[in-house]
Amino acid sequence: MYVGIPNPNILIPVEKMKITNLDSNESFEVLYNPQTYTRHKEVNYKQVPMLGADAPVVQFQSGGMEVLTFELFFDSVSAGAEVGGTMGDRLKFEGNSLLPTIVGGIDVRDYTKKVTNLMYINSDKHRPPVLKVEWSSLQFRGFLSQCEQRFVRFDEQGQPVRAYLNCTFIEHRENEKLYVANPLNSPDTTKYHTVRQGDSLWSLAAMEYGDAGKWREIASANGIANPRRLRTGETLVVPALV
């Protein structure tokens, strides 16, 4: 028999992850906190091949949305003191865990559907609800884009009593002005142009800078001695104007 300091989580409940439907302002706590979570974000770049170069030039295109993934655990027959939900939920789970499964207990889908229902379309908004995931320092706003359910234990009637949900949330920004440092059509952004038949440095400077007289900027950036001799298929650097 263990004798010593009791688990402090019994006296002070562990903070539970909370998911809020921002369209309806309804929220719920998960039954068990995830063991891990992953946040992933990408930035999109374009590879621009340069004639005679060993490697392409990399050009920034845009930022990508952040993705949050984690696995949730659900169990309706062996709930311990760390189970989440409301006080009524905790008492119901505790009582259910003392009964034989043949008596019939809590269908775990009553709790997993609280998560999966978050992917259904809001008829007023014509989209699924915007969600907020909160867990201590984790604060994430977005949509539930994927949810895989895996049921792993069943009672004598075939009713599922244990499940895992693999959830994927994607970032959402609403009524927020996105910051664009240098739009692609701006002369203060370095760009690349593949020479086509009929192109000239004068026409390219007029198109990119609005001033045909700035062709020397392009010639200098590409080491062009004779501006009248452009090779079709060649990639030119169109430098940013500073």
Side-chain angles (χ1 to χ4, degrees):
M1 179 178 178
Y2 171 78
V3 178
I5 300 175
N7 186 337
N9 293 339
I10 297 176
L11 304 176
I12 306 175
V14 176
E15 179 178 356
K16 290 295 178 182
M17 174 181 284
K18 184 171 72 171
I19 301 176
T20 302
N21 180 334
L22 294 178
D23 290 351
S24 64
N25 289 321
E26 298 176 337
S27 63
F28 62 88
E29 290 183 347
V30 302
L31 295 186
Y32 295 89
N33 287 330
Q35 295 187 8
T36 63
Y37 66 84
T38 301
R39 302 183 74 160
H40 174 78
K41 184 177 177 64
E42 293 184 356
V43 177
N44 301 313
Y45 291 90
K46 178 182 178 182
Q47 295 187 41
V48 182
M50 299 292 289
L51 190 64
D54 291 329
V57 173
V58 175
Q59 182 179 21
F60 168 74
Q61 288 193 304
S62 64
M65 62 184 176
E66 186 175 10
V67 179
L68 170 68
T69 58
F70 52 77
E71 182 180 71
L72 294 177
F73 174 68
F74 296 80
D75 190 324
S76 64
V77 294
S78 56
E82 73 276 15
V83 70
T86 65
M87 182 58 67
D89 288 332
R90 297 177 189 181
L91 293 174
K92 183 164 63 173
F93 273 88
E94 189 66 30
N96 187 69
S97 66
L98 302 176
L99 299 174
T101 56
I102 195 170
V103 174
I106 301 172
D107 189 332
V108 76
R109 290 172 296 186
D110 293 341
Y111 290 86
T112 61
K113 69 182 180 182
K114 290 185 179 182
V115 178
T116 58
N117 284 350
L118 297 174
M119 292 190 292
Y120 288 115
I121 295 174
N122 182 325
S123 58
D124 294 331
K125 302 285 187 178
H126 305 291
R127 56 156 175 73
V130 179
L131 309 173
K132 185 176 182 181
V133 180
E134 302 173 272
W135 187 27
S136 186
S137 62
L138 172 63
Q139 302 287 321
F140 190 90
R141 179 189 177 103
F143 297 104
L144 177 60
S145 63
Q146 296 183 48
C147 185
E148 179 185 71
Q149 303 181 75
R150 182 161 50 97
F151 299 99
V152 298
R153 184 176 177 183
F154 306 85
D155 62 17
E156 284 78 356
Q157 288 79 36
Q159 179 173 264
V161 295
R162 181 175 294 170
Y164 293 90
L165 265 60
N166 287 305
C167 303
T168 301
F169 294 80
I170 58 174
E171 179 185 20
H172 172 65
R173 298 183 183 184
E174 189 174 29
N175 297 329
E176 179 179 343
K177 184 177 180 181
L178 298 179
Y179 175 71
V180 180
N182 293 315
L184 294 180
N185 60 354
S186 172
D188 58 359
T189 300
T190 298
K191 296 183 283 293
Y192 302 89
H193 176 80
T194 300
V195 176
R196 298 185 294 270
Q197 188 173 5
D199 280 351
S200 68
L201 294 187
W202 298 274
S203 63
L204 184 57
M207 179 178 65
E208 297 294 344
Y209 302 142
D211 184 353
K214 294 189 181 296
W215 64 268
R216 293 180 180 83
E217 303 282 347
I218 303 174
S220 176
N222 292 276
I224 298 175
N226 187 345
R228 298 183 183 276
R229 293 184 178 179
L230 298 181
R231 291 178 292 178
T232 300
E234 178 183 14
T235 300
L236 300 178
V237 177
V238 183
L241 294 182
V242 295

